[in-house]
Amino acid sequence: MDDQSALLAALKLQLDWGADEALEVFPRGLQVRPAPAAAALAVVPPGVPARPVPQAQTDAQALAAAAATLEELHGALLGFAGSPLRDTATQLVFADGIPGAPVMLLGEAPGGDEDRQGKPFVGVSGQLLDRMLASIGLSRAENVYISNILPWRPPGNRTPTDAEMQLFLPFVRRHIALARPRLLVLLGGTAAKALIGGRDGITRMRGKWLQVMMEDGQVIPTLATLHPAYLLRTPLAKKDAWHDWLMLHRRMNEG
Ligand code: URA
């Protein structure tokens, strides 16, 4: 292979892996990595923060706390410069549906369709979600409000990192507080991990009522269920998801 073919083959491999954005001006050679410095491996004693809280996290907390309405929260997210995701995404994806609806759904992050249209769950997984909602009498035109943990699409639709989830969590929690849903549904492992925490994966967390405690002490009954994109890849899991949606239906009818 000549140099040019080798470079093209390497580029194609990157595309196959889902890299569709160039984040840095100069390439980094990842084949040869220096051994990690001993200091980076040192155990941090209990009580000592591993790293200083970055400015972006402090900004996120202050901006989210200052938002008194959903419109202000939308504006705060638009003005928040603490995440490089905003540089690679096309537009902010804030929410869809009825603010103040009894049920609020939280997904993971916008994908390509959502990034183009500026609304959550408008691609194929959104269509499945709408069908599942309709089967228990719910719709975003009437009684559901939908958002995501991340408001910007991660490049190549990769899973959000823990740091990204933590960074946007103050905005997500403020979003819930301002939307004031009676019940919360977490779609998939990322949303469940961000709001509930713990080590369990989504298959252990789903199918039971959990609780999210708000800053004012209010507790919101919360159901974690399988992400519609996972259901598209794993049709056999739809019966578990159906069980979860029926639990939500029953709880809504309890009044
Ligand atoms: N997947 C998500 O988690 N959210 C969206 O908005 C779309 C797909």
Side-chain angles (χ1 to χ4, degrees), residues 69-71 73-75 77-78 91-101 103-107 109-110 114-115 117-122 129 140-141 144-152 171-172 174-176 178-179:
T69 62
L70 289 171
E71 291 70 30
L73 188 69
H74 190 179
L77 272 166
L78 281 170
Q91 59 183 316
L92 183 96
V93 176
F94 185 64
D96 194 20
I98 310 289
V103 180
M104 179 169 180
L105 311 183
L106 278 171
E114 292 75 20
D115 184 60
Q117 296 187 39
K119 282 186 185 179
F121 284 102
V122 290
L129 178 63
R140 49 179 115 190
V144 169
Y145 185 62
I146 309 182
S147 187
N148 279 309
I149 300 298
L150 298 192
W152 304 104
F171 292 106
V172 175
R174 190 76 190 132
H175 204 156
I176 300 168
L178 292 169

Side-chain angles (χ1 to χ4, degrees), residues 68-175:
T69 62
L70 289 171
E71 291 70 30
E72 285 182 20
L73 188 69
H74 190 179
L77 272 166
L78 281 170
F80 175 58
S83 167
L85 290 177
R86 60 179 294 137
D87 300 328
T88 50
T90 311
Q91 59 183 316
L92 183 96
V93 176
F94 185 64
D96 194 20
I98 310 289
V103 180
M104 179 169 180
L105 311 183
L106 278 171
E108 178 176 304
D113 293 309
E114 292 75 20
D115 184 60
R116 275 184 291 278
Q117 296 187 39
K119 282 186 185 179
F121 284 102
V122 290
V124 273
S125 60
Q127 287 158 20
L128 174 59
L129 178 63
D130 285 341
R131 285 200 297 277
M132 294 190 295
L133 290 172
S135 61
I136 54 164
L138 297 177
S139 83
R140 49 179 115 190
E142 270 178 276
N143 42 18
V144 169
Y145 185 62
I146 309 182
S147 187
N148 279 309
I149 300 298
L150 298 192
W152 304 104
R153 174 192 180 226
N157 295 345
R158 63 164 169 73
T159 304
T161 63
D162 285 356
E164 286 164 347
M165 288 195 267
Q166 286 310 314
L167 184 60
F168 283 100
L169 197 55
F171 292 106
V172 175
R173 292 184 58 87
R174 190 76 190 132
H175 204 156

